[in-house]
């Protein structure tokens, strides 16, 4: 208390010091004293009220405890009186045992009297019930059956209560009511029969189906009541629980399964389209049945049965089972496509489970897949294997057919633009198109897989196509008169390459989601270009075989004295190119450019072979003028044939060589040769030597000087333009050749 007082005094001093910090605050001392007095009075009043409230609560609690103590004493006294009375009545209860037994016996006798009429009328009720079942009056039959079962069950229950160990009386009752179980089984058969024909029954006589459901519901209630009584008494009548509701669902499940399994009307041996027919019949049956369930059958069953979803699930399971069985069979490629298309697309489409009439009742996205993923993958793998084998055979047959066409004596057909072609590209890509359309029906990824497979097979096929084109050319070279339309069909082969390119690009745009070029695309492009270029080369070989004799006349004495070799060459080339106009772009342009290059190369080669040596300036002038004239002929011809921008440069090579020959002042020969080398940097030293040798007036020292100077100032060849001199070899005079020439001179 003293410590508390000290703390209070210290706090008060601190507060007073805080209020009297300035001198002007001394005038307010009286005001501060009154304010503190009011606060003190308020605090004291609150303390008194709180203490008074606690005292009132304690007083009330003590009063209640006193009352409780009095009540406990009264209860204790009453319990003592009850205990005394119970001990006194034990003997009296034991004396009433006989009365209790009499009451039980009276109850059993009363039940027997009550059922006595039914007991004597059992045979009559059995006969009536049998007749009602035969007349399909199922509700009345069930009512009679329940009466019989109630009589039997009540008697058995009373017997069980009286003496549960007395089996002889139980057996006597069972024997007397033995026909009741037979009636129950017979009625059940009728119920199951109606349920098996439920789709037909609900259309014709829905009340019959309603009656069946009502009977089953009644039996379910009786089952539940009997099971509850067994828990209490241990007694349950024979044949209970019947579980007819479970049996009903089993029958419905079997009915759906039988409905699906019974859709196969034909076999593969009788009809190649058996699977398509089977799947279409299944689709129609399932859709029709589910619409009937939604519109009619749902009204015949209680709402808690969830009838539509139950049937929806049953049909899904039945279809899945049937489709799995079909997938396990040895299916052909077209049958695999049919079943996968049906499973992956048709089944969930608006044509079947996604039909507008069913959509509002169920979510097809929650359905499990009809076929497991591994089964689908196995079918796809099997289809790819079969498809690969089939397409290899188809392509082989298509190529054999095309090869037979190459031997025909009539020209190949032309397209709307007049370009020669065969039916091979159309046949090949019709096969690809059909299979890709089928693959697209199955799955987008599978479509891409089939497209890649087609392109892979296409690459292999084109390699074979290339080989056959080479064989075709070689056979023709052995007998040039056969086949008669060799040139036209070789043109068609070249055009087919362009058609193949266009068709492949069309397929990729139509069936591929990816625009990235693959290795297979590059390989196909490369092979097609090789086939086309080789075909063009074969045709040019054919041209130059006809020109061989005329090319051999160039730069010879006969040519110098007057020859129509170049005229014949131009006429022959122009005649061939009338047919070559039937070649599609860009191959026709490339072929014309190559033809010009080869003509010029052959002409220059004739110069380099030193078939003639000019004896004097007149011969050089005459030969040079003839060469310039012939260069202009070639230029005119190939401009007419649209050989391209390189025409002037290529034909200019002949004119440039002619200028070397035409030069009259040998001292300027170096400048002329230098000009030639600057225009055509692929020219080599042996070519210069050959030109100077043909000219005939260049001394050994001049040749060495020209060659030496050119070697020191050699012009590099970039390879941008078409080469002329690169592939031209200059024949060398061997010792044997020189000996032969010397011998010939001596003999002469």
């Amino acid at each position: 208390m003293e410590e508390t007082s000290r703390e209070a005094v210290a706090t008060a001093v601190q507060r007073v010091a805080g209020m009297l910090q300035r001198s002007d605050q001394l005038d307010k001392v009286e005001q501060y004293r009154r304010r503190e007095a009011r606060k003190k009075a308020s605090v004291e009043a609150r303390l008194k009220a709180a203490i008074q409230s606690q005292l009132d609560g304690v007083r009330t609690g003590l009063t209640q405890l006193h009352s409780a103590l009095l009540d406990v004493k009264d209860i204790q006294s009453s319990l003592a009186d009850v205990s005394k009375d119970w001990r006194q009545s034990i003997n009296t209860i034991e004396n009433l045992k006989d009365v209790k037994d009499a009451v039980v016996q009276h109850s059993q006798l009363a039940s027997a009297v009550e059922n006595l009429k039914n007991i004597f009328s059992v045979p009559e009720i059995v006969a009536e019930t049998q007749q009602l079942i035969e007349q399909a009056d199922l509700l009345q039959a069930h009512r009679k059956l329940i009466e019989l079962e109630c009589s039997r069950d009540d008697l058995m229950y009373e017997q069980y209560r009286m003496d549960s160990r007395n089996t002889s009386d139980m057996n006597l009752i069972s024997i007397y009511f033995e026909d009741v179980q037979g009636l129950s089984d017979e009625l059940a058969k009728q119920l199951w029969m109606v349920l098996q024909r439920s789709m037909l029954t609900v259309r014709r006589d829905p009340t019959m189906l309603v009656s069946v459901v009502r009977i089953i519901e009644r039996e379910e209630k009786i089952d539940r009541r009997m099971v509850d009584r067994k828990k209490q008494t241990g007694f349950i009548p024979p044949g209970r629980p019947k579980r007819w509701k479970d049996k009903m669902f089993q029958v419905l499940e079997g009915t759906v399964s039988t409905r699906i399994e019974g859709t196969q009307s034909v076999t593969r041996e009788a009809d190649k389209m058996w699977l398509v027919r089977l799947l279409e019949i299944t689709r129609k049956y399932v859709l029709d049945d589910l619409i009937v369930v939604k519109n009619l059958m749902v009204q015949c069953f209680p709402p808690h049965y969830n009838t539509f979803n139950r049937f929806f699930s049953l049909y899904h399971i039945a279809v899945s089972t049937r489709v799995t069985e079909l997938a396990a069979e040895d299916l052909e490629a077209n049958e695999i496509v049919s079943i996968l298309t049906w499973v992956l697309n048709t089944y969930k489409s608006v044509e079947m489970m996604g039909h507008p009439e069913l959509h509002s009742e169920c979510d097809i996205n929650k359905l499990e897949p009809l076929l497991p993923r591994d089964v689908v993958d196995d079918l796809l793998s099997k289809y790819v294997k079969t498809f690969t084998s089939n397409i290899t055979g188809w392509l082989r047959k298509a190529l054999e057919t095309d090869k037979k066409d190459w031997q025909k004596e009539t020209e190949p057909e032309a397209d709307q633009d007049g370009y020669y072609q065969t039916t091979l590209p159309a046949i090949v890509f019709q096969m690809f198109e059909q299979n890709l359309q089928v693959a697209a029906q199955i799955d987008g990824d599978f479509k891409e897989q089939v497209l890649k497979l087609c392109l892979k097979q296409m690459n292999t096929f084109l390699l074979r196509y290339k080989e056959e084109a080479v064989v075709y050319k070689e056979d023709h070279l052995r007998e040039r008169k056969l086949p008669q339309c060799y040139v036209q069909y070789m043109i068609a082969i070249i055009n087919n390459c362009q058609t193949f390119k266009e068709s492949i690009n069309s397929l990729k745009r139509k069936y591929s989601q990816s625009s990235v070029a693959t290795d297979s695309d590059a390989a196909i492009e490369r092979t097609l270009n090789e086939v086309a270029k080789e075909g063009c080369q074969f045709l040019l070989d054919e041209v130059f075989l006809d020109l061989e004799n005329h090319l051999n006349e160039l730069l010879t004495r006969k040519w110098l004295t007057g020859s129509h070799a170049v005229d014949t060459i131009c006429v022959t080339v122009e005649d061939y190119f009338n047919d070559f106009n039937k070649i599609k772009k860009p191959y026709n342009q490339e072929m014309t450019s190559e033809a010009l290059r080869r003509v010029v190369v052959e002409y220059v080669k004739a110069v380099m072979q030193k078939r003639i040596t000019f004896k004097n300036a007149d011969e050089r002038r005459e030969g040079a003028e003839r060469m310039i004239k012939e260069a202009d002929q070639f230029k005119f011809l190939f401009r007419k044939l649209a050989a391209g921008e390189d025409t002037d440069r290529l034909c200019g090579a002949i004119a440039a060589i002619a200028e070397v020959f035409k030069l009259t002042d040998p001292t300027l020969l170096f400048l002329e040769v230098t000009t030639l080398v600057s225009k055509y940097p692929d020219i080599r030293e042996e070519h210069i030597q050959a030109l100077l040798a043909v000219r005939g007036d260049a001394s050994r020292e001049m040749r060495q000087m020209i060659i030496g100077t050119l070697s020191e100032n050699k012009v590099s060849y970039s390879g941008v333009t078409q080469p002329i001199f690169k592939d031209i070899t200059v024949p060398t005079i061997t010792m044997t050749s020189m000996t032969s020439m010397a011998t010939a001179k001596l003999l002469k």
Side-chain angles (χ1 to χ4, degrees):
M1 289 296 293
E2 294 179 358
E3 184 177 355
T4 303
S5 298
R6 286 197 299 271
E7 288 179 358
V9 170
T11 301
V13 170
Q14 187 176 0
R15 289 190 64 187
V16 170
M19 287 187 288
L20 300 176
Q21 290 181 354
R22 298 189 305 273
S23 59
D24 59 339
Q25 291 177 332
L26 293 173
D27 297 337
K28 299 180 181 180
V29 170
E30 189 62 29
Q31 181 180 348
Y32 291 153
R33 183 182 291 111
R34 287 195 299 271
R35 186 175 66 185
E36 292 301 321
R38 286 196 300 271
K39 287 183 179 180
K40 180 180 178 182
S42 175
V43 171
E44 289 177 351
R46 287 201 299 272
L47 285 173
K48 288 179 181 180
I51 293 171
Q52 185 62 40
S53 176
Q54 289 184 357
L55 290 174
D56 291 343
V58 170
R59 186 181 296 108
T60 302
L62 290 174
T63 303
Q64 290 176 349
L65 286 173
H66 182 69
S67 298
L69 179 61
L70 295 176
D71 292 338
V72 167
K73 290 181 178 180
D74 291 340
I75 292 170
Q76 185 178 10
S77 175
S78 299
L79 286 174
D81 295 339
V82 169
S83 177
K84 182 178 178 182
D85 293 340
W86 177 73
R87 289 190 184 93
Q88 293 175 354
S89 62
I90 290 176
N91 296 330
T92 305
I93 293 172
E94 291 178 355
N95 294 333
L96 292 176
K97 183 178 180 182
D98 296 337
V99 176
K100 180 181 177 183
D101 294 339
V103 169
V104 171
Q105 187 176 7
H106 180 272
S107 175
Q108 292 173 344
L109 291 175
S111 177
V113 170
E114 184 179 349
N115 291 289
L116 191 60
K117 181 179 180 181
N118 293 334
I119 291 172
F120 286 118
S121 62
V122 164
E124 181 182 351
I125 298 175
V126 167
E128 291 178 2
T129 306
Q130 183 66 43
Q131 186 177 4
L132 290 171
I133 292 174
E134 292 174 356
Q135 293 173 355
D137 191 354
L138 302 182
L139 278 178
Q140 291 298 323
H142 186 249
R143 186 177 63 80
K144 295 286 186 180
L145 177 63
I146 289 178
E147 292 179 5
L148 292 171
E149 288 181 340
C150 285
S151 299
R152 179 198 63 186
D153 297 345
D154 289 345
L155 288 173
M156 285 187 166
Y157 178 62
E158 294 300 333
Q159 177 61 36
Y160 179 83
R161 287 176 59 192
M162 185 173 62
D163 187 2
S164 59
R165 297 179 181 179
N166 189 350
T167 57
S168 60
D169 290 346
M170 280 288 192
N171 291 335
L172 181 63
I173 297 173
S174 297
I175 292 171
Y176 188 76
F177 285 93
E178 62 182 353
D179 292 337
V180 174
Q181 187 60 44
L183 289 175
S184 178
D185 296 339
E186 187 66 27
L187 178 61
K189 289 180 181 179
Q190 293 296 320
L191 299 180
W192 312 148
M193 192 177 299
V194 172
L195 290 172
Q196 288 169 355
R197 297 197 299 261
S198 56
M199 288 298 169
L200 183 62
T201 303
V202 78
R203 290 183 177 98
R204 295 182 178 179
D205 187 9
T207 56
M208 176 67 75
L209 186 59
V210 172
S211 298
V212 170
V213 175
R214 288 175 62 187
I215 291 170
I216 292 172
E217 277 294 292
R218 291 175 184 174
E219 289 292 338
E220 278 296 300
K221 291 179 181 178
I222 296 173
D223 278 350
R224 286 194 295 271
R225 190 169 67 249
M226 294 302 173
V227 169
D228 292 340
R229 189 168 69 176
K230 180 183 178 182
K231 293 177 181 178
Q232 298 173 1
T233 65
F235 171 77
I236 190 166
R240 293 287 177 184
K242 293 183 179 180
R243 297 189 177 90
W244 278 7
K245 184 177 179 180
D246 295 339
K247 179 64 177 177
M248 174 184 69
F249 291 133
Q250 292 176 9
V251 171
L252 290 175
E253 182 178 354
T255 301
V256 172
S257 299
T258 304
R259 177 81 163 160
I260 299 302
E261 292 172 0
T263 54
Q264 183 167 348
S265 57
V266 293
T267 60
R268 181 186 289 118
E269 292 74 15
D271 187 354
K272 291 183 178 180
M273 300 296 291
W274 69 277
L275 186 57
V276 175
R277 294 180 184 277
L278 168 61
L279 295 174
E280 176 58 22
I281 293 172
T282 302
R283 183 198 68 81
K284 189 175 184 304
Y285 279 9
V286 171
L287 180 59
D288 291 348
D289 288 355
L290 287 176
I291 290 176
V292 169
V293 171
K294 175 180 177 291
N295 296 330
L296 299 177
M297 195 172 291
V298 168
Q299 303 171 16
C300 300
F301 289 83
H304 66 272
Y305 275 34
N306 201 7
T307 307
F308 180 81
N309 287 333
R310 186 180 293 273
F311 270 93
F312 195 83
S313 177
L314 289 177
Y315 273 97
H316 176 71
I317 293 170
V319 172
S320 177
T321 303
R322 182 61 178 140
V323 170
T324 304
E325 292 172 356
L326 292 172
E329 296 185 12
D330 188 15
L331 298 177
E332 298 177 357
N334 61 320
E335 294 170 349
I336 292 175
V337 169
S338 297
I339 194 169
L340 287 178
T341 303
W342 195 87
V343 167
L344 300 177
N345 298 319
T346 305
Y347 184 70
K348 290 188 177 181
S349 70
V350 294
E351 297 177 357
M352 197 170 175
M353 302 306 247
H355 192 275
E357 286 201 43
L358 308 180
H359 187 68
S360 60
E361 298 293 333
C362 62
D363 185 0
I364 58 174
N365 296 320
K366 294 182 179 179
L367 286 175
E368 293 292 328
L370 273 183
L371 287 177
R373 189 68 233 180
D374 57 336
V375 176
V376 173
D377 292 340
D378 289 344
L379 287 175
L380 291 176
S381 176
K382 184 178 179 181
Y383 174 80
V384 168
K385 184 178 180 181
T386 306
F387 170 70
T388 304
S389 176
N390 290 345
I391 203 169
T392 302
W394 293 336
L395 292 174
R396 187 187 306 112
K397 290 179 182 178
L399 183 55
E400 292 298 325
T401 303
D402 207 54
K403 283 169 56 182
K404 291 179 182 178
D405 291 343
W406 297 350
Q407 307 299 326
K408 288 182 178 179
E409 297 180 359
T410 56
E411 293 183 356
E413 296 179 358
D415 62 11
Q416 66 271 18
D417 297 321
Y419 297 118
Y420 287 138
Q421 63 179 8
T422 66
T423 58
L424 182 63
I427 293 172
V428 169
F429 283 94
Q430 184 180 7
M431 290 187 295
F432 287 170
E433 179 83 20
Q434 290 173 352
N435 284 279
L436 285 169
Q437 286 176 355
V438 168
Q441 295 174 3
I442 296 175
D443 183 66
D445 294 337
F446 183 63
K447 175 189 64 177
E448 293 276 356
Q449 182 181 353
V450 172
L451 177 59
K452 290 179 182 178
L453 179 60
C454 288
L455 295 179
K456 181 179 179 181
Q457 291 296 319
M458 185 67 190
N459 190 34
T460 305
F461 166 75
L462 289 175
L463 294 174
R464 177 68 176 164
Y465 191 55
K466 177 182 176 183
E467 294 172 359
E468 293 297 338
V470 174
V471 172
Y472 184 53
K473 185 261 298 188
E474 292 174 349
D475 291 343
H476 171 71
L477 291 179
R478 283 192 287 269
E479 180 55 60
R480 290 195 63 207
K481 293 182 180 180
L482 296 175
Q484 294 182 5
C485 297
Y486 167 78
V487 172
Q488 289 79 4
Y489 276 100
M490 187 58 73
I491 292 173
I493 291 172
I494 296 169
N495 289 339
N496 285 348
C497 293
Q498 185 63 24
T499 306
F500 278 133
K501 283 185 180 181
E502 294 169 357
S503 300
I504 288 171
N505 291 332
S506 175
L507 284 182
K508 289 174 64 179
R509 285 193 302 270
K510 189 173 181 180
Y511 294 102
S512 178
Q513 302 297 325
S514 173
S515 58
V516 180
T518 62
D519 294 340
S520 179
D521 297 336
I524 290 174
E525 181 80 14
R526 183 169 58 252
T527 305
L528 285 171
N529 288 334
E530 290 174 358
V531 174
K533 288 181 179 179
E534 287 185 3
C536 292
Q537 197 67 36
F538 297 160
L539 290 176
L540 290 178
D541 291 343
E542 184 74 6
V543 175
F544 282 90
L545 281 174
D546 287 348
L547 298 178
E548 186 175 3
N549 293 332
H550 305 292
L551 291 171
N552 290 334
E553 286 185 15
L554 298 175
L555 275 295
T556 62
R557 284 290 165 186
K558 181 179 178 181
W559 167 81
L560 186 63
T561 57
S563 170
H564 299 290
V566 171
D567 296 335
T568 306
I569 289 171
C570 290
V571 170
T572 304
V573 169
E574 187 173 7
D575 181 58
Y576 268 105
F577 269 85
N578 286 333
D579 285 335
F580 295 166
N581 285 333
K582 305 292 181 64
I583 298 177
K584 290 183 177 182
K585 294 180 180 180
Y587 303 125
N588 57 355
Q589 180 70 36
E590 295 173 359
M591 189 173 180
T592 308
S593 300
E594 179 62 17
L596 170 60
R597 193 192 71 82
R598 284 188 64 172
V599 167
V600 173
V601 167
E602 291 295 330
Y603 198 101
V604 174
K605 189 184 293 184
V607 176
M608 300 304 167
Q609 289 176 351
K610 296 176 284 190
R611 298 172 183 173
I612 186 174
T613 301
F614 296 121
K615 296 178 180 180
N616 50 52
D618 292 337
E619 283 189 357
R620 285 191 291 275
R621 177 181 52 77
E622 184 180 351
E625 290 176 353
R626 193 174 186 85
M627 289 175 68
I628 293 171
K629 178 185 175 183
E630 290 171 349
D632 290 339
Q633 282 182 265
F634 290 144
K635 189 183 296 184
F636 175 79
L637 171 64
F638 283 100
R639 280 179 177 174
K640 182 179 177 182
L641 298 177
E645 300 175 354
D646 225 20
T647 303
D648 291 345
R649 191 188 70 84
L650 291 170
C651 294
I654 300 174
I657 293 172
E659 292 297 331
V660 175
F661 293 156
K662 188 177 181 181
L663 187 68
T664 56
D665 186 358
T667 59
L668 300 176
L669 192 59
F670 173 73
L671 294 175
E672 199 65 42
V673 171
T674 303
T675 303
L676 176 65
V677 172
S678 64
K679 290 182 179 179
Y680 303 97
D682 62 323
I683 194 168
R684 301 190 297 275
E685 292 179 6
E686 58 265 30
H687 297 143
I688 303 298
Q689 291 178 348
L691 291 177
L692 296 176
V694 172
R695 180 178 169 83
D697 65 341
S699 63
R700 182 183 182 88
E701 291 77 9
M702 183 179 290
R703 289 199 299 268
Q704 290 177 349
M705 183 272 292
I706 293 173
I707 296 300
T709 306
L710 290 175
S711 298
E712 293 175 1
N713 302 283
K714 192 171 183 180
V715 180
S716 61
Y717 172 59
S718 63
V720 175
T721 58
Q722 280 188 319
I724 298 175
F725 297 91
K726 181 180 177 182
D727 298 327
I728 298 176
T729 58
V730 179
T732 57
I733 301 177
T734 62
M735 185 60 69
T736 303
S737 301
M738 294 175 65
T739 304
S740 300
M741 292 172 63
T743 303
K745 287 183 178 180
L746 288 172
L747 291 173
K748 186 175 181 181

